[in-house]
Amino acid sequence: MKAHRFLAALLAIALAPVLGSCSGGNDDDGLAVVIIGEPDSIFEDGLRLSAGAQLVRDATSSGIVALNAEGEVVPALGESWIVTEDGRSFIFRLRQLNWPDGEPLTAEDARASLVQSIAALRGTSLGLDLRKVEEIRAMTNRVIEIRLTGAMPEFLHLLAQPELAITRDGESIGPMVLERDGDTAILQPVAPETIGLPEIQGDRGDQRLRLRALDRKRHV
């Protein structure tokens, strides 16, 4: 049984340095994953997240672009993009996706989310990297433009960071949904076609995770 491609990349990148233990196989309850940290840390929200909370956010939300297991920029909520010759304008076409309540994702939703996140990031290291963002505007219902004050070759990698995931009123669109069972985060994959994403060829995408954080001092 193969995990969702996005989740597999996430596990390879995010979990490798913090993995405490993992069950050797699959069962009806899903794949059990344990990381080091305070039990509630995986449910944190905000800008400065623990490793477990970063995993949960990456699994349950998406940005306009994402990074694959090799660290390459790939489409996410944005299905395609162009960069102007001067490197100062990035124009993205969004996929036809729906929010959990059934409402369609719009360019204005993405613009409002990015403006709010960038403002909240002021004073952080990522916020300093984003100082060149001059303007964000919805050009049509599914096209958004991000203008910079100067060329920034690494901009797409910055845009793929989990802090810039697109959200609306606490809702997000991601490859998994979160359920909480005490101190355990249950991450259940969502069929890509149900939210408007293309089906991944050869990937069943049905691997559920049961994620817990354990304090190392209490379990040594």
Side-chain angles (χ1 to χ4, degrees):
M1 187 180 297
K2 190 176 180 183
H4 191 286
R5 179 182 61 180
F6 179 87
L7 177 57
L10 184 61
L11 286 170
I13 296 172
L15 276 183
V18 296
L19 187 60
S21 63
C22 177
S23 65
N26 301 314
D27 54 38
D28 292 339
D29 291 329
L31 179 66
V33 178
V34 179
I35 65 172
I36 302 302
E38 292 295 328
D40 285 339
S41 64
I42 57 177
F43 301 104
E44 292 173 351
D45 195 12
L47 296 177
R48 296 175 174 84
L49 302 176
S50 67
Q54 288 176 9
L55 171 60
V56 171
R57 175 172 292 181
D58 279 345
T60 57
S61 62
S62 300
I64 293 180
V65 295
L67 299 177
N68 64 16
E70 288 73 41
E72 302 167 329
V73 176
V74 295
L77 300 186
E79 64 181 1
S80 61
W81 62 84
I82 60 173
V83 183
T84 56
E85 290 186 4
D86 62 5
R88 294 181 53 190
S89 178
F90 290 74
I91 301 173
F92 302 88
R93 182 173 181 81
L94 302 179
R95 299 183 190 274
Q96 289 185 315
L97 301 171
N98 292 329
W99 293 102
D101 64 3
E103 290 293 317
L105 168 70
T106 67
E108 179 55 35
D109 292 335
R111 187 204 70 82
S113 177
L114 288 173
V115 168
Q116 182 179 16
S117 295
I118 291 174
L121 286 165
R122 287 174 185 162
T124 68
S125 57
L126 181 55
L128 293 175
D129 291 334
L130 292 168
R131 286 181 300 178
K132 283 190 175 182
V133 175
E134 180 179 44
E135 180 184 12
I136 305 175
R137 66 189 185 101
M139 300 177 68
T140 69
N141 199 47
R142 289 177 54 203
V143 178
I144 183 173
E145 178 189 23
I146 303 177
R147 291 193 59 83
L148 309 178
T149 59
M152 195 175 185
E154 71 278 16
F155 179 68
L156 287 175
H157 283 79
L158 293 177
L159 197 60
Q161 300 307 306
E163 290 87 347
L164 295 179
I166 302 302
T167 62
R168 186 194 67 169
D169 298 330
E171 293 183 324
S172 58
I173 302 172
M176 309 190 87
V177 293
L178 170 67
E179 296 179 13
R180 181 168 182 172
D181 181 9
D183 291 336
T184 301
I186 301 175
L187 297 169
Q188 180 69 48
V190 176
E193 61 273 17
T194 65
I195 56 174
L197 292 173
E199 184 177 356
I200 299 173
Q201 188 67 29
D203 191 347
R204 294 178 61 183
D206 57 357
Q207 177 65 75
R208 182 168 69 165
L209 281 184
R210 296 180 62 85
L211 175 68
R212 289 190 302 152
L214 296 179
D215 188 337
R216 183 191 298 273
K217 295 180 181 178
R218 298 178 184 174
H219 297 273
V220 293

